[in-house]
Amino acid sequence: MGRKFKILDCTLRDGGYYNNWDFDSNLVDVYCEFVESSPIDYVEVGYRSIPLTGYFGEYFYCPIYVLQRLKKNMPSKDLVVILNEKDIKVSHVKDLLSPCVGIISMVRVAVDPKNMERAIELAKEVKTLGFLVAFNVMYMSNWKKDPGFLGSLVEIEGLVDYFYMVDSFGGVMIQDIKETIDIIRDFSKDIPLGFHGHNNLEMAMANTLESIENGCSIVDATITGMGRGAGNLRMELLLTYLENKGLVDLDFNALSNIVAKFEELKSMYQWGTNLPYMFSGANSLPQKQVMEWVGLNRYPLSSILTALKNQKDSKKDN
Amino acid sequence: MGRKFKILDCTLRDGGYYNNWDFDSNLVDVYCEFVESSPIDYVEVGYRSIPLTGYFGEYFYCPIYVLQRLKKNMPSKDLVVILNEKDIKVSHVKDLLSPCVGIISMVRVAVDPKNMERAIELAKEVKTLGFLVAFNVMYMSNWKKDPGFLGSLVEIEGLVDYFYMVDSFGGVMIQDIKETIDIIRDFSKDIPLGFHGHNNLEMAMANTLESIENGCSIVDATITGMGRGAGNLRMELLLTYLENKGLVDLDFNALSNIVAKFEELKSMYQWGTNLPYMFSGANSLPQKQVMEWVGLNRYPLSSILTALKNQKDSKKDN
């Protein structure tokens, strides 16, 4: 077993963009049973958040009774929650995270590169509670042309346990992986890196393996690829591949069981890539708008594409 | 426009494994309209074959009236048919192909490496009729350990216009592409290479781009990936990516129109990868059996996986 990297499953967290983080508790129980039997190291089970306007389901807030049940069902796994840096202030951290001590191992922070300094203050506060901290830093396809924010990497060595490159637009190609890692290494030789891919261009698998090849310490995937927009690397694909390479042991019955359950959900929500997502990936456009248009199931592909092309010269994201 | 490689669409040919080569003629007309307006260079429209036992639809035999209609609808494109070397003898060639002169530009031959010598005789006969000839040579994942058959490459320089590497099991990874091309180049410096991928491990896109990067002269894709087993590289993905790179011009309305039509067919036949195809890809098992089991829609994933694991130590292909 020569595996030198960790595997993180974030099905409930990233998949929640499709069902408003409302997962059936029976499904979650089966999910936990699979994860507990699997080689997955970290399980990101949702967000912790202050109350936001609009409806968000159970796994967006992850109340403590939910976390306790998850931990009871996955006692050998490291549980993870994520904070949206844009919503969470330093002053919220104690209330949100103190009750998680002893249940959660790691807290991830979703970070826009332009808010790195604010995120560092947040991380310091999270760290006082004893959690591992990971930064999920967005828009990695832009870093090559604007690497300035990476200067703050010296500040976060020792503070942040994993520094994730997030392919927010799903447009990253394999040569970008190595080039981006090389740039990061100019700023920090040692910080452990992670990769979180999206599958717009069906590059999530190739990019993830390239990340591992280039020394990433942790990679993300989700069951059936359930995740925002075009979705993520499929966990069943990563694990099946790694099993063949002798890098993980795998109970294929447990795996096929949980995949079948999520395939049912997929037939309802239809995640995965399609022409509008391919276009948004190739052109580095945000997934959010595409997801709304595609999700309405009301516009023909051609209308969505036309709208996206019109947007191409005036990009915005949430 | 710096594109140095050709694009071949083989939707009707490889997709035919799902519908027995029975395509609705209205759908084919819309398909032709798209292809004619597209940057696709070659269109493989089906097989030509002697009568085989069992039912095979129109695009398995490609009668001349079908070919004439296709050519009339795609006058600017090079039409291609493929011969299955295992079924077609030298003595069949004149009857099968003489009527195609002036309609078809290229004849591909699907070749098992162990039958290379026989295929060369077939190619010589095809060549007398003035067609371009391409060899689609199967099982490329085995070539590294058994490259002996590549010795015959010296015989086919000048005879065969494209020598295709076919990822029959869908298990090829990007490092295999370069390594396999390096081996081929030990035997022939100049023969133009092609790549035909399958998407079991969601590597079709990455492998195709890696092939191009390593000097391949022609690559295959199909609309919505319609193709045997886990299917092929999606043409809409390849074209959308190349458009962004400025390598092709693309009418996105025509593209989204034809993609929407084939998505309807996909909702019926359900091609694309899934756990059994991932397993067969990772373990270099033949697609045919998986396709039958998955297609029956009768067995749970776990039963198929168990059967595949039992087969793993006694591989066979058709």
Side-chain angles (χ1 to χ4, degrees), chain B residues 33-101:
Chain B
E33 197 181 327
F34 161 69
V35 172
E36 180 63 15
S37 79
S38 81
I40 292 165
D41 303 288
Y42 291 98
V43 199
E44 188 174 71
V45 294
Y47 287 89
R48 284 282 282 176
S49 180
I50 56 168
L52 298 184
T53 313
Y55 177 75
F56 294 89
E58 213 165 23
Y59 296 83
F60 188 79
Y61 293 110
C62 286
I64 296 306
Y65 74 91
V66 166
L67 293 176
Q68 282 167 335
R69 184 187 176 106
L70 290 164
K71 185 64 190 172
K72 183 167 152 277
N73 290 337
M74 298 182 283
S76 76
K77 300 297 168 181
D78 284 313
L79 266 50
V80 182
V81 291
I82 191 165
L83 305 178
N84 244 339
E85 191 280 332
K86 74 182 163 72
D87 300 322
I88 307 301
K89 308 278 159 268
V90 171
S91 58
H92 300 133
V93 167
K94 281 229 160 58
D95 279 356
L96 283 177
L97 296 181
S98 297
C100 303
V101 172

Side-chain angles (χ1 to χ4, degrees), chain B residues 245-305:
Chain B
K245 298 292 162 205
L247 292 173
V248 300
D249 285 325
L250 196 51
D251 176 348
F252 278 102
N253 283 327
L255 179 62
S256 57
N257 188 27
I258 192 64
V259 165
K261 297 269 181 213
F262 274 90
E263 290 287 355
E264 286 172 27
L265 217 54
K266 187 178 179 185
S267 69
M268 189 155 40
Y269 293 106
Q270 301 281 334
W271 58 84
T273 196
N274 57 32
L275 192 49
Y277 284 124
M278 292 171 192
F279 186 86
S280 68
N283 291 281
S284 290
L285 298 169
Q287 314 242 28
K288 192 180 177 224
Q289 184 76 78
V290 191
M291 194 169 163
E292 281 165 14
W293 289 336
V294 171
L296 286 174
N297 227 342
R298 190 188 297 161
Y299 306 118
L301 285 181
S302 57
S303 310
I304 298 177
L305 274 180

Side-chain angles (χ1 to χ4, degrees), chain A residues 173-174 199 201-202 205-206 209 234 236-237 240-241 244 252-253 256 273 275 278-279 282-283 301-302, chain B residues 173-174 199 201-202 205-206 209 234 236-237 240-241 244 252-253 256 273 275 278-279 282-283 301-302:
Chain A
M173 307 303 288
I174 53 167
N199 211 26
L201 302 183
E202 297 203 340
M205 177 67 169
L209 297 180
R234 302 193 210 191
E236 63 272 27
L237 175 55
T240 299
Y241 175 81
N244 174 264
F252 278 102
N253 283 326
S256 57
T273 195
L275 192 48
M278 292 170 191
F279 186 86
N283 291 281
L301 286 181
S302 57
Chain B
M173 307 303 288
I174 53 167
N199 212 25
L201 302 182
E202 297 202 341
M205 177 67 168
L209 297 180
R234 300 194 212 191
E236 63 271 27
L237 175 55
T240 299
Y241 175 81
N244 174 263
F252 278 102
N253 283 327
S256 57
T273 196
L275 192 49
M278 292 171 192
F279 186 86
N283 291 281
L301 285 181
S302 57

Side-chain angles (χ1 to χ4, degrees), chain B residues 96-153:
Chain B
L96 283 177
L97 296 181
S98 297
C100 303
V101 172
I103 310 172
I104 291 298
S105 305
M106 181 158 76
V107 175
R108 299 214 287 187
V109 186
V111 185
D112 185 322
K114 71 175 195 286
N115 298 327
M116 270 295 276
E117 292 303 327
R118 235 169 52 185
I120 290 170
E121 295 311 308
L122 200 63
K124 285 179 183 163
E125 187 70 8
V126 173
K127 205 72 187 179
T128 63
L129 297 171
F131 300 107
L132 294 172
V133 174
F135 270 10
N136 274 31
V137 187
M138 297 185 271
Y139 316 128
M140 70 174 280
S141 47
N142 296 338
W143 301 0
K144 281 194 282 183
K145 54 178 192 280
D146 192 12
F149 82 98
L150 292 168
S152 51
L153 275 174

Side-chain angles (χ1 to χ4, degrees), chain A residues 13-24:
Chain A
R13 199 277 298 177
D14 212 338
Y17 281 97
Y18 271 96
N19 63 354
N20 250 321
W21 295 275
D22 256 337
F23 289 92
D24 177 81

